[in-house]
Amino acid sequence: MAGKLKLYYFDGRGKMESIRWLLAAAGVEFEEEFLETREQYEKLLQGGSLLFQQVPMVEIDGMKMVQTRAILSYIAAKYNLYGKDLKERALIDMYVGGTDDLMGFILMFPFLSAEDKEKQRAVIVQKATSRYFPAYEKVLKDHGQDFLVGNNFSWADVHLLEAILMVEEKKSDVLSGFPQLQAFKARISSIPTIKKFLEPGSQRKPVPDDKYVETVRRVLHMYYDIKAN
């Protein structure tokens, strides 16, 4: 019997968090090895585990997979969260791509200066409320179904809920003008596997703190300052 999936990353969100979300949504258990020292990272490099010399890395089905999008696509397909045909898969890819664009404004937020964080917070809220959330609000309203694609729970739904919660951490009432997304958030959050992941004690990571930032900088030798978008 194959062992549990194993994730190699830092003890924090970053690019691995969407992988944790998707595995949790599928009800799949996984183990994690947290990178805390430069030596751990170099050991993975020297052992040939990191094809492009970067994490996240996931051990799954005898593979050592890198590249976040490839990992997510594989998991979605393996656990039937990738639509029933090519058209649905294309729509899921399109919606996930849009959500990724929004998440990109949030990913480097913890590494910004205090001044840049306030500027970036405004950018995140502006992009969410003027570009991304209106698009998903329209999709849900137009087809009148519970989920984004094919009226079945998919990777697109998981990814959008993750993004919604991330933006709400920047502005708690950000969904006030989006009734479809409010209902969507409630529906997806009540799915048993998602509900379990949202409960205290799960493998979901908290908002990145200074310890997380310092660890990432030390392990990856990030000696430069990140600039706001």
Side-chain angles (χ1 to χ4, degrees):
M1 182 177 178
K4 290 181 182 178
L5 290 140
K6 192 167 184 180
L7 281 50
Y8 294 79
Y9 201 66
F10 305 99
D11 187 8
R13 291 184 182 176
K15 291 189 174 182
M16 185 65 86
E17 189 70 354
S18 291
I19 297 169
R20 297 183 184 107
W21 266 89
L22 195 57
L23 287 170
V28 178
E29 294 185 352
F30 57 89
E31 298 175 347
E32 300 191 70
E33 180 171 318
F34 298 127
L35 302 181
E36 299 176 342
T37 66
R38 179 71 185 183
E39 289 70 29
Q40 285 177 284
Y41 180 62
E42 289 179 346
K43 183 177 179 181
L44 290 176
L45 290 173
Q46 293 163 6
S49 295
L50 306 181
L51 182 61
F52 300 111
Q53 302 178 29
Q54 60 192 25
V55 288
M57 191 268 281
V58 175
E59 289 186 352
I60 180 172
D61 294 341
M63 298 182 289
K64 292 183 177 180
M65 291 195 71
V66 294
Q67 290 296 326
T68 307
R69 186 61 179 260
I71 296 167
L72 287 165
S73 297
Y74 185 82
I75 293 168
K78 180 179 175 67
Y79 296 107
N80 300 313
L81 293 169
Y82 213 171
K84 69 178 186 297
D85 56 30
L86 189 60
K87 182 177 180 180
E88 288 192 358
R89 182 167 293 194
L91 289 173
I92 289 169
D93 283 339
M94 183 172 70
Y95 297 148
V96 167
T99 306
D100 268 343
D101 289 345
L102 174 57
M103 286 181 168
F105 293 102
I106 305 173
L107 184 63
M108 300 310 296
F109 186 87
F111 298 88
L112 299 174
S113 67
E115 180 181 356
D116 280 345
K117 280 181 178 178
E118 288 311 304
K119 295 177 182 177
Q120 189 70 353
R121 189 187 309 275
V123 169
I124 291 165
V125 172
Q126 190 273 331
K127 295 291 186 183
T129 56
S130 68
R131 179 183 297 181
Y132 299 101
F133 288 175
Y136 295 119
E137 182 80 3
K138 184 177 187 302
V139 169
L140 292 166
K141 184 177 181 179
D142 285 353
H143 67 39
Q145 297 175 335
D146 288 345
F147 305 103
L148 286 172
V149 178
N151 206 27
N152 285 302
F153 182 47
S154 76
W155 172 21
D157 302 305
V158 180
H159 214 48
L160 179 54
L161 177 62
E162 181 189 0
I164 287 171
L165 297 181
M166 290 170 71
V167 178
E168 284 186 330
E169 289 170 350
K170 303 295 179 272
K171 188 175 189 294
S172 60
D173 64 346
V174 73
L175 288 186
S176 60
F178 302 98
Q180 295 290 334
L181 286 179
Q182 291 176 37
F184 172 86
K185 174 190 169 186
R187 282 195 303 274
I188 305 304
S189 296
S190 68
I191 292 172
T193 54
I194 297 292
K195 184 178 180 180
K196 181 179 179 181
F197 190 60
L198 291 173
E199 291 173 350
S202 79
Q203 287 170 288
R204 183 186 180 208
K205 304 307 176 191
V207 176
D209 58 13
D210 290 343
K211 180 181 178 181
Y212 166 77
V213 170
E214 192 277 329
T215 299
V216 173
R217 286 186 180 277
R218 182 178 67 250
V219 173
L220 298 183
H221 286 177
M222 288 174 59
Y223 300 126
Y224 54 88
D225 291 331
I226 303 296
K227 299 299 182 182
N229 287 310

